[in-house]
């Protein structure tokens, strides 16, 4: 049997707080979603003035990163390269801003950010990834 680490609510809040700090530093209004390793929403934070649509998009970016064990940017690049068949993959949101959360080389969850330009969303999510690696 495997023994695995699992994100607690306190961990998710710490990850989201790091992402929030990066967003606030740049005056970006976003939604931050942290999922557990089963793809369940553990923590959601919508900053003031973040678009309403970013609530669902942040969760879907996080879910894609978790399900496929890779950043959503990889899917965005594949689609941009002309492989439109990728758009038919169930559960795949090909928009940068979703990242898997790793600890000890294993996926413990994911983070998705939405609300500004996709590279900026990814920059914010990366701040959360750094915290997860140190848990």
């Amino acid at each position: 049997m495997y023994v695995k680490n699992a994100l607690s609510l306190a961990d998710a809040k710490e990850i989201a707080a790091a992402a929030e700090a990066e967003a606030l530093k740049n005056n970006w209004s976003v939604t931050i979603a942290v999922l557990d390793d089963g793809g369940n929403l553990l923590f959601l934070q919508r900053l003031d003035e973040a678009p309403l649509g970013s609530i669902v998009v942040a969760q879907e970016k996080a879910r894609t990163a978790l399900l496929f064990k890779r950043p959503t940017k990889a899917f965005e690049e594949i689609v941009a390269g002309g492989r439109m068949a990728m758009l038919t993959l169930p559960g795949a949101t090909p928009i940068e801003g979703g990242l898997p959360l790793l600890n000890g080389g294993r996926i413990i969850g994911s983070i998705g950010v939405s609300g500004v330009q996709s590279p900026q969303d990814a920059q914010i999510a990366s701040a959360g990834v750094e915290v997860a690696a140190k848990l």
Side-chain angles (χ1 to χ4, degrees), residues 31-120:
T31 296
I32 302 160
V34 179
L35 305 185
D36 65 17
D37 66 347
N40 303 296
L41 182 63
L42 190 55
F43 188 77
L44 180 83
Q45 182 172 3
R46 180 175 165 257
L47 301 182
D48 293 338
E49 305 299 320
L52 291 175
S54 67
I55 297 167
V56 173
V57 175
Q59 292 175 75
E60 291 304 314
K61 286 180 179 184
R63 189 164 287 108
T64 298
L66 179 76
L67 290 174
F68 295 97
K69 299 181 179 182
R70 66 191 66 193
T72 55
K73 181 179 182 178
F75 291 98
E76 183 175 344
E77 290 173 345
I78 291 168
V79 171
R83 187 139 189 248
M84 301 312 233
M86 294 298 282
L87 295 173
T88 65
L89 283 178
T93 300
I95 306 168
E96 186 176 5
L99 297 170
L101 297 172
L102 301 171
N103 184 277
R106 294 193 173 255
I107 292 182
I108 57 171
S110 60
I111 184 170
V113 177
S114 180
V116 287
Q117 297 297 313
S118 295
Q120 296 165 335

Side-chain angles (χ1 to χ4, degrees), residues 7-29:
L7 288 175
S8 67
L9 178 58
D11 296 332
K13 287 180 177 181
E14 189 176 342
I15 290 163
E20 177 188 15
E22 182 66 23
L24 293 176
K25 179 176 85 175
N26 292 287
N27 294 314
W28 294 332
S29 295

